[in-house]
PDB file of all heavy atoms in Angstrom:
ATOM      1  N   LEU A 167      10.515 -10.912  -5.217  1.00 89.00           N
ATOM      2  CA  LEU A 167       9.971 -10.949  -6.575  1.00 89.00           C
ATOM      3  C   LEU A 167      10.451  -9.753  -7.380  1.00 89.00           C
ATOM      4  O   LEU A 167      10.889  -8.744  -6.827  1.00 89.00           O
ATOM      5  CB  LEU A 167       8.437 -10.932  -6.540  1.00 89.00           C
ATOM      6  CG  LEU A 167       7.740 -11.996  -5.694  1.00 89.00           C
ATOM      7  CD1 LEU A 167       6.261 -11.696  -5.603  1.00 89.00           C
ATOM      8  CD2 LEU A 167       7.969 -13.376  -6.289  1.00 89.00           C
ATOM      9  N   THR A 168      10.330  -9.869  -8.701  1.00 94.00           N
ATOM     10  CA  THR A 168      10.552  -8.746  -9.607  1.00 94.00           C
ATOM     11  C   THR A 168       9.203  -8.262 -10.121  1.00 94.00           C
ATOM     12  O   THR A 168       8.344  -9.074 -10.481  1.00 94.00           O
ATOM     13  CB  THR A 168      11.433  -9.167 -10.804  1.00 94.00           C
ATOM     14  OG1 THR A 168      12.745  -9.469 -10.326  1.00 94.00           O
ATOM     15  CG2 THR A 168      11.531  -8.053 -11.839  1.00 94.00           C
ATOM     16  N   ALA A 169       9.007  -6.959 -10.150  1.00 95.00           N
ATOM     17  CA  ALA A 169       7.778  -6.365 -10.678  1.00 95.00           C
ATOM     18  C   ALA A 169       8.102  -5.647 -11.982  1.00 95.00           C
ATOM     19  O   ALA A 169       8.908  -4.714 -11.994  1.00 95.00           O
ATOM     20  CB  ALA A 169       7.167  -5.388  -9.678  1.00 95.00           C
ATOM     21  N   GLU A 170       7.472  -6.099 -13.070  1.00 95.00           N
ATOM     22  CA  GLU A 170       7.754  -5.541 -14.396  1.00 95.00           C
ATOM     23  C   GLU A 170       6.451  -5.119 -15.071  1.00 95.00           C
ATOM     24  O   GLU A 170       5.452  -5.836 -15.012  1.00 95.00           O
ATOM     25  CB  GLU A 170       8.475  -6.575 -15.256  1.00 95.00           C
ATOM     26  CG  GLU A 170       8.859  -6.066 -16.648  1.00 95.00           C
ATOM     27  CD  GLU A 170       9.585  -7.116 -17.458  1.00 95.00           C
ATOM     28  OE1 GLU A 170       9.993  -8.143 -16.883  1.00 95.00           O
ATOM     29  OE2 GLU A 170       9.731  -6.922 -18.678  1.00 95.00           O
ATOM     30  N   VAL A 171       6.475  -3.960 -15.711  1.00 95.00           N
ATOM     31  CA  VAL A 171       5.282  -3.409 -16.352  1.00 95.00           C
ATOM     32  C   VAL A 171       5.031  -4.106 -17.684  1.00 95.00           C
ATOM     33  O   VAL A 171       5.937  -4.222 -18.518  1.00 95.00           O
ATOM     34  CB  VAL A 171       5.452  -1.888 -16.566  1.00 95.00           C
ATOM     35  CG1 VAL A 171       4.259  -1.320 -17.323  1.00 95.00           C
ATOM     36  CG2 VAL A 171       5.610  -1.189 -15.223  1.00 95.00           C
ATOM     37  N   MET A 172       3.802  -4.585 -17.889  1.00 91.00           N
ATOM     38  CA  MET A 172       3.430  -5.244 -19.139  1.00 91.00           C
ATOM     39  C   MET A 172       2.773  -4.273 -20.110  1.00 91.00           C
ATOM     40  O   MET A 172       2.933  -4.379 -21.318  1.00 91.00           O
ATOM     41  CB  MET A 172       2.470  -6.405 -18.851  1.00 91.00           C
ATOM     42  CG  MET A 172       3.073  -7.481 -17.979  1.00 91.00           C
ATOM     43  SD  MET A 172       1.945  -8.852 -17.719  1.00 91.00           S
ATOM     44  CE  MET A 172       1.896  -9.575 -19.373  1.00 91.00           C
ATOM     45  N   ASP A 173       1.979  -3.351 -19.580  1.00 88.00           N
ATOM     46  CA  ASP A 173       1.401  -2.245 -20.346  1.00 88.00           C
ATOM     47  C   ASP A 173       1.736  -0.975 -19.587  1.00 88.00           C
ATOM     48  O   ASP A 173       1.904  -1.009 -18.367  1.00 88.00           O
ATOM     49  CB  ASP A 173      -0.126  -2.376 -20.468  1.00 88.00           C
ATOM     50  CG  ASP A 173      -0.535  -3.483 -21.430  1.00 88.00           C
ATOM     51  OD1 ASP A 173       0.262  -3.785 -22.329  1.00 88.00           O
ATOM     52  OD2 ASP A 173      -1.631  -4.035 -21.271  1.00 88.00           O
ATOM     53  N   ASP A 174       1.819   0.158 -20.297  1.00 92.00           N
ATOM     54  CA  ASP A 174       2.089   1.418 -19.610  1.00 92.00           C
ATOM     55  C   ASP A 174       1.205   1.513 -18.370  1.00 92.00           C
ATOM     56  O   ASP A 174      -0.001   1.254 -18.428  1.00 92.00           O
ATOM     57  CB  ASP A 174       1.805   2.600 -20.531  1.00 92.00           C
ATOM     58  CG  ASP A 174       2.838   2.688 -21.662  1.00 92.00           C
ATOM     59  OD1 ASP A 174       3.782   1.891 -21.653  1.00 92.00           O
ATOM     60  OD2 ASP A 174       2.668   3.549 -22.539  1.00 92.00           O
ATOM     61  N   ALA A 175       1.811   1.864 -17.244  1.00 93.00           N
ATOM     62  CA  ALA A 175       1.093   1.804 -15.965  1.00 93.00           C
ATOM     63  C   ALA A 175       1.278   3.091 -15.181  1.00 93.00           C
ATOM     64  O   ALA A 175       2.301   3.777 -15.285  1.00 93.00           O
ATOM     65  CB  ALA A 175       1.590   0.618 -15.139  1.00 93.00           C
ATOM     66  N   ARG A 176       0.259   3.379 -14.387  1.00 91.00           N
ATOM     67  CA  ARG A 176       0.337   4.491 -13.434  1.00 91.00           C
ATOM     68  C   ARG A 176       0.198   3.920 -12.035  1.00 91.00           C
ATOM     69  O   ARG A 176      -0.735   3.158 -11.761  1.00 91.00           O
ATOM     70  CB  ARG A 176      -0.755   5.515 -13.688  1.00 91.00           C
ATOM     71  CG  ARG A 176      -0.644   6.716 -12.746  1.00 91.00           C
ATOM     72  CD  ARG A 176      -1.716   7.740 -12.994  1.00 91.00           C
ATOM     73  NE  ARG A 176      -1.504   8.904 -12.157  1.00 91.00           N
ATOM     74  CZ  ARG A 176      -2.371   9.908 -12.041  1.00 91.00           C
ATOM     75  NH1 ARG A 176      -3.501   9.868 -12.721  1.00 91.00           N
ATOM     76  NH2 ARG A 176      -2.122  10.930 -11.255  1.00 91.00           N
ATOM     77  N   LEU A 177       1.120   4.296 -11.156  1.00 92.00           N
ATOM     78  CA  LEU A 177       1.121   3.781  -9.798  1.00 92.00           C
ATOM     79  C   LEU A 177       1.033   4.913  -8.791  1.00 92.00           C
ATOM     80  O   LEU A 177       1.532   6.018  -9.034  1.00 92.00           O
ATOM     81  CB  LEU A 177       2.408   2.993  -9.524  1.00 92.00           C
ATOM     82  CG  LEU A 177       2.728   1.813 -10.429  1.00 92.00           C
ATOM     83  CD1 LEU A 177       4.065   1.213 -10.038  1.00 92.00           C
ATOM     84  CD2 LEU A 177       1.650   0.765 -10.362  1.00 92.00           C
ATOM     85  N   LEU A 178       0.398   4.623  -7.664  1.00 88.00           N
ATOM     86  CA  LEU A 178       0.500   5.473  -6.486  1.00 88.00           C
ATOM     87  C   LEU A 178       1.415   4.751  -5.509  1.00 88.00           C
ATOM     88  O   LEU A 178       1.245   3.557  -5.261  1.00 88.00           O
ATOM     89  CB  LEU A 178      -0.872   5.712  -5.862  1.00 88.00           C
ATOM     90  CG  LEU A 178      -1.812   6.640  -6.634  1.00 88.00           C
ATOM     91  CD1 LEU A 178      -3.154   6.745  -5.930  1.00 88.00           C
ATOM     92  CD2 LEU A 178      -1.206   8.028  -6.803  1.00 88.00           C
ATOM     93  N   ILE A 179       2.383   5.472  -4.982  1.00 92.00           N
ATOM     94  CA  ILE A 179       3.435   4.855  -4.178  1.00 92.00           C
ATOM     95  C   ILE A 179       3.494   5.524  -2.808  1.00 92.00           C
ATOM     96  O   ILE A 179       3.464   6.757  -2.705  1.00 92.00           O
ATOM     97  CB  ILE A 179       4.801   4.984  -4.891  1.00 92.00           C
ATOM     98  CG1 ILE A 179       4.709   4.365  -6.296  1.00 92.00           C
ATOM     99  CG2 ILE A 179       5.899   4.336  -4.069  1.00 92.00           C
ATOM    100  CD1 ILE A 179       5.918   4.644  -7.160  1.00 92.00           C
ATOM    101  N   ILE A 180       3.581   4.675  -1.769  1.00 89.00           N
ATOM    102  CA  ILE A 180       3.707   5.185  -0.400  1.00 89.00           C
ATOM    103  C   ILE A 180       4.970   4.600   0.220  1.00 89.00           C
ATOM    104  O   ILE A 180       5.065   3.381   0.388  1.00 89.00           O
ATOM    105  CB  ILE A 180       2.492   4.817   0.469  1.00 89.00           C
ATOM    106  CG1 ILE A 180       1.193   5.300  -0.168  1.00 89.00           C
ATOM    107  CG2 ILE A 180       2.640   5.414   1.874  1.00 89.00           C
ATOM    108  CD1 ILE A 180      -0.053   4.945   0.622  1.00 89.00           C
ATOM    109  N   PRO A 181       5.965   5.435   0.560  1.00 90.00           N
ATOM    110  CA  PRO A 181       7.155   4.934   1.259  1.00 90.00           C
ATOM    111  C   PRO A 181       6.758   4.332   2.613  1.00 90.00           C
ATOM    112  O   PRO A 181       5.806   4.797   3.250  1.00 90.00           O
ATOM    113  CB  PRO A 181       8.023   6.193   1.438  1.00 90.00           C
ATOM    114  CG  PRO A 181       7.531   7.141   0.378  1.00 90.00           C
ATOM    115  CD  PRO A 181       6.068   6.863   0.245  1.00 90.00           C
ATOM    116  N   TRP A 182       7.503   3.306   3.029  1.00 87.00           N
ATOM    117  CA  TRP A 182       7.134   2.586   4.243  1.00 87.00           C
ATOM    118  C   TRP A 182       7.128   3.468   5.489  1.00 87.00           C
ATOM    119  O   TRP A 182       6.269   3.344   6.356  1.00 87.00           O
ATOM    120  CB  TRP A 182       8.061   1.401   4.467  1.00 87.00           C
ATOM    121  CG  TRP A 182       7.850   0.746   5.807  1.00 87.00           C
ATOM    122  CD1 TRP A 182       8.770   0.572   6.785  1.00 87.00           C
ATOM    123  CD2 TRP A 182       6.633   0.193   6.310  1.00 87.00           C
ATOM    124  NE1 TRP A 182       8.208  -0.049   7.867  1.00 87.00           N
ATOM    125  CE2 TRP A 182       6.889  -0.300   7.604  1.00 87.00           C
ATOM    126  CE3 TRP A 182       5.344   0.069   5.787  1.00 87.00           C
ATOM    127  CZ2 TRP A 182       5.918  -0.909   8.389  1.00 87.00           C
ATOM    128  CZ3 TRP A 182       4.366  -0.545   6.574  1.00 87.00           C
ATOM    129  CH2 TRP A 182       4.655  -1.029   7.855  1.00 87.00           C
ATOM    130  N   ASN A 183       8.076   4.404   5.617  1.00 87.00           N
ATOM    131  CA  ASN A 183       8.090   5.240   6.815  1.00 87.00           C
ATOM    132  C   ASN A 183       6.822   6.073   6.935  1.00 87.00           C
ATOM    133  O   ASN A 183       6.291   6.281   8.034  1.00 87.00           O
ATOM    134  CB  ASN A 183       9.332   6.134   6.831  1.00 87.00           C
ATOM    135  CG  ASN A 183       9.401   7.081   5.640  1.00 87.00           C
ATOM    136  OD1 ASN A 183       8.972   6.740   4.538  1.00 87.00           O
ATOM    137  ND2 ASN A 183       9.954   8.262   5.848  1.00 87.00           N
ATOM    138  N   GLU A 184       6.274   6.512   5.783  1.00 88.00           N
ATOM    139  CA  GLU A 184       5.012   7.262   5.805  1.00 88.00           C
ATOM    140  C   GLU A 184       3.844   6.321   6.081  1.00 88.00           C
ATOM    141  O   GLU A 184       2.904   6.667   6.801  1.00 88.00           O
ATOM    142  CB  GLU A 184       4.806   7.979   4.467  1.00 88.00           C
ATOM    143  CG  GLU A 184       5.903   8.962   4.099  1.00 88.00           C
ATOM    144  CD  GLU A 184       6.009  10.109   5.083  1.00 88.00           C
ATOM    145  OE1 GLU A 184       5.022  10.396   5.780  1.00 88.00           O
ATOM    146  OE2 GLU A 184       7.094  10.721   5.166  1.00 88.00           O
ATOM    147  N   MET A 185       3.910   5.111   5.505  1.00 84.00           N
ATOM    148  CA  MET A 185       2.845   4.134   5.714  1.00 84.00           C
ATOM    149  C   MET A 185       2.769   3.745   7.188  1.00 84.00           C
ATOM    150  O   MET A 185       1.682   3.612   7.759  1.00 84.00           O
ATOM    151  CB  MET A 185       3.125   2.899   4.858  1.00 84.00           C
ATOM    152  CG  MET A 185       1.961   1.940   4.738  1.00 84.00           C
ATOM    153  SD  MET A 185       0.671   2.589   3.654  1.00 84.00           S
ATOM    154  CE  MET A 185      -0.778   2.050   4.527  1.00 84.00           C
ATOM    155  N   GLU A 186       3.914   3.569   7.808  1.00 84.00           N
ATOM    156  CA  GLU A 186       3.956   3.173   9.217  1.00 84.00           C
ATOM    157  C   GLU A 186       3.312   4.233  10.103  1.00 84.00           C
ATOM    158  O   GLU A 186       2.545   3.920  11.024  1.00 84.00           O
ATOM    159  CB  GLU A 186       5.404   2.936   9.641  1.00 84.00           C
ATOM    160  CG  GLU A 186       5.564   2.267  10.984  1.00 84.00           C
ATOM    161  CD  GLU A 186       7.003   1.900  11.252  1.00 84.00           C
ATOM    162  OE1 GLU A 186       7.902   2.617  10.745  1.00 84.00           O
ATOM    163  OE2 GLU A 186       7.244   0.917  11.955  1.00 84.00           O
ATOM    164  N   LYS A 187       3.604   5.500   9.816  1.00 85.00           N
ATOM    165  CA  LYS A 187       3.000   6.591  10.591  1.00 85.00           C
ATOM    166  C   LYS A 187       1.484   6.591  10.439  1.00 85.00           C
ATOM    167  O   LYS A 187       0.746   6.790  11.411  1.00 85.00           O
ATOM    168  CB  LYS A 187       3.564   7.936  10.117  1.00 85.00           C
ATOM    169  CG  LYS A 187       5.032   8.145  10.425  1.00 85.00           C
ATOM    170  CD  LYS A 187       5.510   9.454   9.817  1.00 85.00           C
ATOM    171  CE  LYS A 187       7.013   9.628   9.966  1.00 85.00           C
ATOM    172  NZ  LYS A 187       7.488  10.866   9.280  1.00 85.00           N
ATOM    173  N   MET A 188       1.005   6.364   9.206  1.00 83.00           N
ATOM    174  CA  MET A 188      -0.440   6.376   8.959  1.00 83.00           C
ATOM    175  C   MET A 188      -1.141   5.222   9.669  1.00 83.00           C
ATOM    176  O   MET A 188      -2.242   5.379  10.201  1.00 83.00           O
ATOM    177  CB  MET A 188      -0.720   6.324   7.455  1.00 83.00           C
ATOM    178  CG  MET A 188      -0.416   7.611   6.733  1.00 83.00           C
ATOM    179  SD  MET A 188      -1.021   7.607   5.019  1.00 83.00           S
ATOM    180  CE  MET A 188       0.060   6.396   4.282  1.00 83.00           C
ATOM    181  N   ILE A 189      -0.501   4.050   9.663  1.00 82.00           N
ATOM    182  CA  ILE A 189      -1.109   2.888  10.305  1.00 82.00           C
ATOM    183  C   ILE A 189      -1.237   3.115  11.804  1.00 82.00           C
ATOM    184  O   ILE A 189      -2.255   2.757  12.421  1.00 82.00           O
ATOM    185  CB  ILE A 189      -0.272   1.625  10.015  1.00 82.00           C
ATOM    186  CG1 ILE A 189      -0.445   1.220   8.548  1.00 82.00           C
ATOM    187  CG2 ILE A 189      -0.675   0.470  10.932  1.00 82.00           C
ATOM    188  CD1 ILE A 189       0.444   0.082   8.118  1.00 82.00           C
ATOM    189  N   ILE A 190      -0.209   3.734  12.394  1.00 85.00           N
ATOM    190  CA  ILE A 190      -0.267   4.035  13.825  1.00 85.00           C
ATOM    191  C   ILE A 190      -1.362   5.057  14.119  1.00 85.00           C
ATOM    192  O   ILE A 190      -2.110   4.937  15.089  1.00 85.00           O
ATOM    193  CB  ILE A 190       1.102   4.545  14.314  1.00 85.00           C
ATOM    194  CG1 ILE A 190       2.137   3.419  14.216  1.00 85.00           C
ATOM    195  CG2 ILE A 190       1.010   5.075  15.745  1.00 85.00           C
ATOM    196  CD1 ILE A 190       3.557   3.871  14.485  1.00 85.00           C
ATOM    197  N   GLU A 191      -1.464   6.054  13.255  1.00 82.00           N
ATOM    198  CA  GLU A 191      -2.453   7.108  13.454  1.00 82.00           C
ATOM    199  C   GLU A 191      -3.867   6.645  13.112  1.00 82.00           C
ATOM    200  O   GLU A 191      -4.836   7.015  13.770  1.00 82.00           O
ATOM    201  CB  GLU A 191      -2.088   8.322  12.590  1.00 82.00           C
ATOM    202  CG  GLU A 191      -3.002   9.520  12.781  1.00 82.00           C
ATOM    203  CD  GLU A 191      -2.563  10.722  11.960  1.00 82.00           C
ATOM    204  OE1 GLU A 191      -1.381  10.761  11.556  1.00 82.00           O
ATOM    205  OE2 GLU A 191      -3.399  11.616  11.712  1.00 82.00           O
ATOM    206  N   ARG A 192      -3.982   5.807  12.071  1.00 80.00           N
ATOM    207  CA  ARG A 192      -5.294   5.342  11.594  1.00 80.00           C
ATOM    208  C   ARG A 192      -5.264   3.833  11.381  1.00 80.00           C
ATOM    209  O   ARG A 192      -5.075   3.353  10.259  1.00 80.00           O
ATOM    210  CB  ARG A 192      -5.647   6.029  10.281  1.00 80.00           C
ATOM    211  CG  ARG A 192      -5.980   7.500  10.415  1.00 80.00           C
ATOM    212  CD  ARG A 192      -7.441   7.661  10.743  1.00 80.00           C
ATOM    213  NE  ARG A 192      -7.816   9.059  10.812  1.00 80.00           N
ATOM    214  CZ  ARG A 192      -9.074   9.482  10.842  1.00 80.00           C
ATOM    215  NH1 ARG A 192     -10.059   8.601  10.803  1.00 80.00           N
ATOM    216  NH2 ARG A 192      -9.354  10.770  10.932  1.00 80.00           N
ATOM    217  N   PRO A 193      -5.455   3.031  12.422  1.00 82.00           N
ATOM    218  CA  PRO A 193      -5.435   1.568  12.270  1.00 82.00           C
ATOM    219  C   PRO A 193      -6.460   1.046  11.267  1.00 82.00           C
ATOM    220  O   PRO A 193      -6.256  -0.014  10.668  1.00 82.00           O
ATOM    221  CB  PRO A 193      -5.750   1.067  13.684  1.00 82.00           C
ATOM    222  CG  PRO A 193      -5.331   2.188  14.586  1.00 82.00           C
ATOM    223  CD  PRO A 193      -5.624   3.444  13.819  1.00 82.00           C
ATOM    224  N   SER A 194      -7.541   1.792  11.050  1.00 77.00           N
ATOM    225  CA  SER A 194      -8.561   1.345  10.093  1.00 77.00           C
ATOM    226  C   SER A 194      -7.992   1.247   8.683  1.00 77.00           C
ATOM    227  O   SER A 194      -8.444   0.431   7.874  1.00 77.00           O
ATOM    228  CB  SER A 194      -9.758   2.304  10.105  1.00 77.00           C
ATOM    229  OG  SER A 194      -9.346   3.628   9.787  1.00 77.00           O
ATOM    230  N   LEU A 195      -6.978   2.054   8.373  1.00 76.00           N
ATOM    231  CA  LEU A 195      -6.325   1.977   7.067  1.00 76.00           C
ATOM    232  C   LEU A 195      -5.645   0.625   6.885  1.00 76.00           C
ATOM    233  O   LEU A 195      -5.708   0.024   5.818  1.00 76.00           O
ATOM    234  CB  LEU A 195      -5.281   3.090   6.937  1.00 76.00           C
ATOM    235  CG  LEU A 195      -5.735   4.457   6.424  1.00 76.00           C
ATOM    236  CD1 LEU A 195      -4.571   5.415   6.429  1.00 76.00           C
ATOM    237  CD2 LEU A 195      -6.333   4.347   5.036  1.00 76.00           C
ATOM    238  N   ALA A 196      -4.997   0.161   7.939  1.00 76.00           N
ATOM    239  CA  ALA A 196      -4.303  -1.127   7.873  1.00 76.00           C
ATOM    240  C   ALA A 196      -5.281  -2.249   7.580  1.00 76.00           C
ATOM    241  O   ALA A 196      -4.995  -3.153   6.791  1.00 76.00           O
ATOM    242  CB  ALA A 196      -3.568  -1.387   9.185  1.00 76.00           C
ATOM    243  N   ILE A 197      -6.453  -2.198   8.212  1.00 78.00           N
ATOM    244  CA  ILE A 197      -7.460  -3.244   8.002  1.00 78.00           C
ATOM    245  C   ILE A 197      -7.910  -3.266   6.549  1.00 78.00           C
ATOM    246  O   ILE A 197      -8.021  -4.327   5.932  1.00 78.00           O
ATOM    247  CB  ILE A 197      -8.663  -3.015   8.939  1.00 78.00           C
ATOM    248  CG1 ILE A 197      -8.219  -3.222  10.388  1.00 78.00           C
ATOM    249  CG2 ILE A 197      -9.809  -3.960   8.593  1.00 78.00           C
ATOM    250  CD1 ILE A 197      -9.274  -2.877  11.408  1.00 78.00           C
ATOM    251  N   LYS A 198      -8.144  -2.096   5.959  1.00 72.00           N
ATOM    252  CA  LYS A 198      -8.614  -2.029   4.573  1.00 72.00           C
ATOM    253  C   LYS A 198      -7.547  -2.532   3.612  1.00 72.00           C
ATOM    254  O   LYS A 198      -7.845  -3.200   2.623  1.00 72.00           O
ATOM    255  CB  LYS A 198      -9.029  -0.603   4.235  1.00 72.00           C
ATOM    256  CG  LYS A 198     -10.297  -0.165   4.971  1.00 72.00           C
ATOM    257  CD  LYS A 198     -10.671   1.266   4.664  1.00 72.00           C
ATOM    258  CE  LYS A 198     -12.045   1.559   5.280  1.00 72.00           C
ATOM    259  NZ  LYS A 198     -12.014   2.464   6.387  1.00 72.00           N
ATOM    260  N   ILE A 199      -6.286  -2.232   3.895  1.00 74.00           N
ATOM    261  CA  ILE A 199      -5.205  -2.692   3.037  1.00 74.00           C
ATOM    262  C   ILE A 199      -5.031  -4.205   3.157  1.00 74.00           C
ATOM    263  O   ILE A 199      -4.832  -4.915   2.167  1.00 74.00           O
ATOM    264  CB  ILE A 199      -3.897  -1.956   3.376  1.00 74.00           C
ATOM    265  CG1 ILE A 199      -4.021  -0.487   2.967  1.00 74.00           C
ATOM    266  CG2 ILE A 199      -2.703  -2.600   2.679  1.00 74.00           C
ATOM    267  CD1 ILE A 199      -2.882   0.379   3.419  1.00 74.00           C
ATOM    268  N   ILE A 200      -5.131  -4.724   4.385  1.00 76.00           N
ATOM    269  CA  ILE A 200      -5.022  -6.175   4.597  1.00 76.00           C
ATOM    270  C   ILE A 200      -6.140  -6.903   3.855  1.00 76.00           C
ATOM    271  O   ILE A 200      -5.926  -7.972   3.268  1.00 76.00           O
ATOM    272  CB  ILE A 200      -5.062  -6.499   6.101  1.00 76.00           C
ATOM    273  CG1 ILE A 200      -3.766  -6.037   6.759  1.00 76.00           C
ATOM    274  CG2 ILE A 200      -5.258  -7.998   6.335  1.00 76.00           C
ATOM    275  CD1 ILE A 200      -3.791  -6.075   8.264  1.00 76.00           C
ATOM    276  N   GLU A 201      -7.336  -6.345   3.858  1.00 73.00           N
ATOM    277  CA  GLU A 201      -8.449  -6.953   3.127  1.00 73.00           C
ATOM    278  C   GLU A 201      -8.126  -7.059   1.643  1.00 73.00           C
ATOM    279  O   GLU A 201      -8.422  -8.068   0.992  1.00 73.00           O
ATOM    280  CB  GLU A 201      -9.727  -6.131   3.332  1.00 73.00           C
ATOM    281  CG  GLU A 201     -10.322  -6.260   4.732  1.00 73.00           C
ATOM    282  CD  GLU A 201     -11.485  -5.315   4.949  1.00 73.00           C
ATOM    283  OE1 GLU A 201     -11.700  -4.422   4.091  1.00 73.00           O
ATOM    284  OE2 GLU A 201     -12.176  -5.446   5.975  1.00 73.00           O
ATOM    285  N   ALA A 202      -7.517  -6.011   1.085  1.00 69.00           N
ATOM    286  CA  ALA A 202      -7.158  -6.027  -0.337  1.00 69.00           C
ATOM    287  C   ALA A 202      -6.057  -7.039  -0.613  1.00 69.00           C
ATOM    288  O   ALA A 202      -6.075  -7.740  -1.625  1.00 69.00           O
ATOM    289  CB  ALA A 202      -6.719  -4.631  -0.779  1.00 69.00           C
ATOM    290  N   LEU A 203      -5.090  -7.144   0.296  1.00 71.00           N
ATOM    291  CA  LEU A 203      -3.983  -8.077   0.107  1.00 71.00           C
ATOM    292  C   LEU A 203      -4.429  -9.531   0.205  1.00 71.00           C
ATOM    293  O   LEU A 203      -3.792 -10.423  -0.357  1.00 71.00           O
ATOM    294  CB  LEU A 203      -2.887  -7.803   1.145  1.00 71.00           C
ATOM    295  CG  LEU A 203      -2.135  -6.482   0.977  1.00 71.00           C
ATOM    296  CD1 LEU A 203      -1.198  -6.267   2.150  1.00 71.00           C
ATOM    297  CD2 LEU A 203      -1.367  -6.451  -0.333  1.00 71.00           C
ATOM    298  N   SER A 204      -5.533  -9.776   0.903  1.00 73.00           N
ATOM    299  CA  SER A 204      -6.015 -11.152   1.046  1.00 73.00           C
ATOM    300  C   SER A 204      -6.414 -11.747  -0.299  1.00 73.00           C
ATOM    301  O   SER A 204      -6.341 -12.963  -0.503  1.00 73.00           O
ATOM    302  CB  SER A 204      -7.205 -11.206   2.009  1.00 73.00           C
ATOM    303  OG  SER A 204      -8.330 -10.527   1.474  1.00 73.00           O
ATOM    304  N   LYS A 205      -6.800 -10.903  -1.255  1.00 68.00           N
ATOM    305  CA  LYS A 205      -7.129 -11.380  -2.596  1.00 68.00           C
ATOM    306  C   LYS A 205      -5.928 -12.068  -3.231  1.00 68.00           C
ATOM    307  O   LYS A 205      -6.046 -13.145  -3.819  1.00 68.00           O
ATOM    308  CB  LYS A 205      -7.590 -10.207  -3.476  1.00 68.00           C
ATOM    309  CG  LYS A 205      -7.801 -10.583  -4.937  1.00 68.00           C
ATOM    310  CD  LYS A 205      -8.066  -9.348  -5.790  1.00 68.00           C
ATOM    311  CE  LYS A 205      -8.135  -9.713  -7.259  1.00 68.00           C
ATOM    312  NZ  LYS A 205      -8.304  -8.530  -8.136  1.00 68.00           N
ATOM    313  N   LYS A 206      -4.742 -11.446  -3.076  1.00 67.00           N
ATOM    314  CA  LYS A 206      -3.539 -12.025  -3.663  1.00 67.00           C
ATOM    315  C   LYS A 206      -3.160 -13.329  -2.963  1.00 67.00           C
ATOM    316  O   LYS A 206      -2.720 -14.290  -3.593  1.00 67.00           O
ATOM    317  CB  LYS A 206      -2.385 -11.030  -3.582  1.00 67.00           C
ATOM    318  CG  LYS A 206      -1.173 -11.445  -4.405  1.00 67.00           C
ATOM    319  CD  LYS A 206       0.055 -10.639  -4.066  1.00 67.00           C
ATOM    320  CE  LYS A 206      -0.169  -9.172  -4.300  1.00 67.00           C
ATOM    321  NZ  LYS A 206       1.044  -8.393  -3.988  1.00 67.00           N
TER     322      LYS A 206
END
């Protein structure tokens, strides 16, 4: 997909290599993110 800004936006961004380390260290983070993604 293409992601395009419709109104001025502020984002928080996590590179995948950092995200992968966090998920391994804190699996509870992965669960919370998966819950949010289920909405989409």
Side-chain angles (χ1 to χ4, degrees):
L167 306 171
T168 293
E170 182 179 348
V171 176
M172 298 182 69
D173 287 334
D174 290 356
R176 183 180 185 188
L177 303 177
L178 288 178
I179 304 170
I180 304 179
W182 172 238
N183 61 326
E184 301 297 337
M185 193 74 219
E186 191 172 30
K187 293 175 187 176
M188 287 190 292
I189 288 174
I190 294 172
E191 184 177 340
R192 289 274 183 167
S194 58
L195 273 178
I197 293 174
K198 291 178 172 111
I199 291 172
I200 289 170
E201 288 173 349
L203 292 174
S204 66
K205 173 188 174 184
K206 191 193 301 181

